Amino acid sequence: MASNQIDINRLGKRDLAELAGRGQESVSILSRLREVALKASLALLLIIAITFIALPVVALFLRSPLDTTLQSLHDPVVMDALRLSLMTSTLTTITVVLMGTPIAYVSARFRYFGKELADSLIDLPVIMPPAVAGIALLMAFGRMGIVGHYLDAFGISIAFTTLAVIIAQVFVSSPFYIRQARTSFEDVDIALENAARTLGGSRIYTFFHVILPIAINGLVSGAIMAFARSLGEFGATIMFAGNFQGRTQTMPLAIYTAMQGDLDVSLCIAIILVAISFVVIFLVKTLTRRVYKNAGN
Amino acid sequence: MLEIDIKKGLRDFDLEVKMMIKEGEILMLVGDNGCGKTSLLNLVAGLQDPDEGRIALDGRPLFDSGLKIRVAPEGRNIGYVFQSYALFPHMSVYDNVAFGLRTRGLSRKAIESRVMEHLKAAGLWDIRKARAVEVSGGQRQRVALARALIIEPDLLLLDEPLSALDVRKQAAMRKELRERIHACHVPSIIVTHDLRDVASIGDRACLLERGRIALTGGADEVMGWGEGLQDREGEPV
């Protein structure tokens, strides 16, 4: 046997215990080192990710001093874009909620022929490129579109109007609401609905007095997401509604146009949109936290 | 009197039940998990529809496949206590119990008076403002029962009403449950796994096996049925 090797057969109990202890200590140090390395790697990854997202946002604020931003607010381009965006996004959200709530409820509760296809079609605008959505809307509702040419015969023109902005926003933002609403309705225990009906509640009474109040936080969260999506919509809007100040030039379109001339104006609009985005994220987080809290009850 | 003569195709077998329950009688429905007990209650309540047959309460058809009659659940005046109690989580104890009276369009004063009477009788008046899901298991059971009884139902359906309670509370509730149900003088069906419930609460018992009534008899005869029955821990009797 080599001089540096230990003959285990000659060792007593105390020696064996000491060896085992030293072995355990080595394993313990190794696993601690691994844990530290893992935590350090994750921390580094988190810092990189946050920096990647924060840097452009911070750059926006650094590049445009507050007084310049406030001054730009008086620019008619900015005011028109802000007014138009807020008006169209609000109308879009109302439309999406009114249309989407019964669709989401039916999707959550009922099985019917073609349900899978219908649900897929509802989700399609999420993955469809916005520019493609814009062209598709033009082909449907434009003057030469399959529906548009009939409307044109009655003197009704949709493309390149404020209505076209709303239609484009509804098209791209509705899945954000419907998916969230569907999930919220699915989370309402069917036994509650059944209990309400056995207690004399009609389907409609049960919906408004039991299902809706329980699902409300999720529905509001979905509506906020739809509002945010419609506010930021660019591709479908510019293709279907065009880019006319005061009529179809929403805030994202105004940023794009202003960038070619007055950077300060485009920065001002961008900062307003970022501020609104932060508010949206805060509201959604607060509401979804309450959803989980209520679900736990 | 409740008359049931129905067929319904379930996932693994067909439910075929023919029975009558007299006014004031408490029928205990026992059987293994998945034998169709809850499905039967849901069919009687109108939450599901039989494939064919007839359900009538005091001569009034609730469902008749031949005459194409189907009364919606909200029109059947049936008190149903669900296994999970199904208390509305966004409502207080008071509002849960008042729900069935509000759907019937009673005046606010009438609702207040009846809710107070039922909550006091159930020992729940002091917690009337608490959210129904925040009270104890035993209190939830009493809220669910009060909610079902306040509408003065023509029929009572209870799905394992004591299963969520601990052993001591179950013993206390059995007597109270029997007294409160008997006071209503309506036919009642109670689903249970526990033979102690059968012996303490029911007048008659039915053993359901794969959707069919295998045995029927007095509550005291159940102990002799043996195979097919389990106690609450899932152990065979």
Side-chain angles (χ1 to χ4, degrees), chain A residues 164-180:
Chain A
V165 175
I166 295 170
I167 291 174
Q169 289 179 352
V170 168
F171 186 85
V172 300
S173 67
S174 54
F176 288 85
Y177 175 76
I178 293 174
R179 286 163 109 190
Q180 178 62 54

Side-chain angles (χ1 to χ4, degrees), chain A residues 107-272:
Chain A
S107 179
R109 279 285 185 256
F110 299 100
R111 282 196 202 106
Y112 52 87
F113 177 73
K115 179 173 163 29
E116 292 295 326
L117 179 64
D119 287 347
S120 300
L121 281 171
I122 286 167
D123 289 341
L124 186 62
V126 174
I127 45 173
M128 189 188 266
V132 171
I135 289 187
L137 286 167
L138 208 52
M139 293 303 107
F141 300 107
R143 261 194 323 127
M144 305 308 287
I146 51 175
V147 172
H149 85 266
Y150 289 109
L151 295 173
D152 191 54
F154 290 100
I156 300 170
S157 190
I158 294 178
F160 310 112
T161 63
T162 307
L163 179 60
V165 175
I166 295 170
I167 291 174
Q169 289 179 352
V170 168
F171 186 85
V172 300
S173 67
S174 54
F176 288 85
Y177 175 76
I178 293 174
R179 286 163 109 190
Q180 178 62 54
R182 183 169 57 209
T183 304
S184 300
F185 288 138
E186 281 168 353
D187 286 345
V188 177
D189 189 353
I190 188 92
L192 299 177
E193 214 174 311
N194 289 340
R197 297 203 64 205
T198 61
L199 289 165
S202 64
R203 278 199 190 276
I204 294 188
Y205 187 95
T206 298
F207 179 81
F208 283 105
H209 289 85
V210 177
I211 299 165
L212 201 59
I214 295 172
I216 193 71
N217 285 346
L219 300 188
V220 172
S221 173
I224 292 169
M225 293 301 292
F227 179 83
R229 179 64 186 89
S230 64
L231 202 64
E233 167 45 36
F234 179 88
T237 309
I238 202 167
M239 300 292 279
F240 182 46
N243 188 10
F244 306 105
Q245 184 184 337
R247 196 166 89 213
T248 66
Q249 190 178 73
T250 54
M251 286 204 284
L253 272 62
I255 291 173
Y256 173 71
T257 309
M259 258 195 73
Q260 282 143 39
D262 189 342
L263 188 61
D264 286 335
V265 167
S266 65
L267 283 174
C268 171
I269 301 171
I271 285 168
I272 294 171

Side-chain angles (χ1 to χ4, degrees), chain A residues 189 191-203 205-206 209-211 213-214 294 297, chain B residues 47 72-74 78 80 82 84 86-91 99-100 102-104 131 133 147 151:
Chain A
D189 189 353
L192 299 177
E193 214 174 311
N194 289 340
R197 297 203 64 205
T198 61
L199 289 165
S202 64
R203 278 199 190 276
Y205 187 95
T206 298
H209 289 85
V210 177
I211 299 165
I214 295 172
N294 287 342
N297 282 336
Chain B
L47 299 171
E74 56 267 29
I78 290 174
Y80 195 158
F82 292 79
S84 65
L87 300 183
F88 306 128
H90 60 300
M91 292 186 189
F99 188 90
R102 289 187 178 135
T103 60
R104 283 156 174 76
R131 288 226 299 183
V133 291
R147 188 177 70 175
I151 59 170

Side-chain angles (χ1 to χ4, degrees), chain B residues 8-10 12-16 51 210-212:
Chain B
K8 170 80 177 174
L10 301 179
D12 298 325
F13 50 82
D14 290 344
L15 181 78
E16 253 187 78
D51 296 330
R210 286 182 66 82
R212 283 178 164 79

Side-chain angles (χ1 to χ4, degrees), chain B residues 120-132:
Chain B
K120 282 187 173 170
L124 297 168
W125 182 247
D126 291 340
I127 57 161
R128 65 192 179 281
K129 289 185 185 166
R131 288 226 299 183

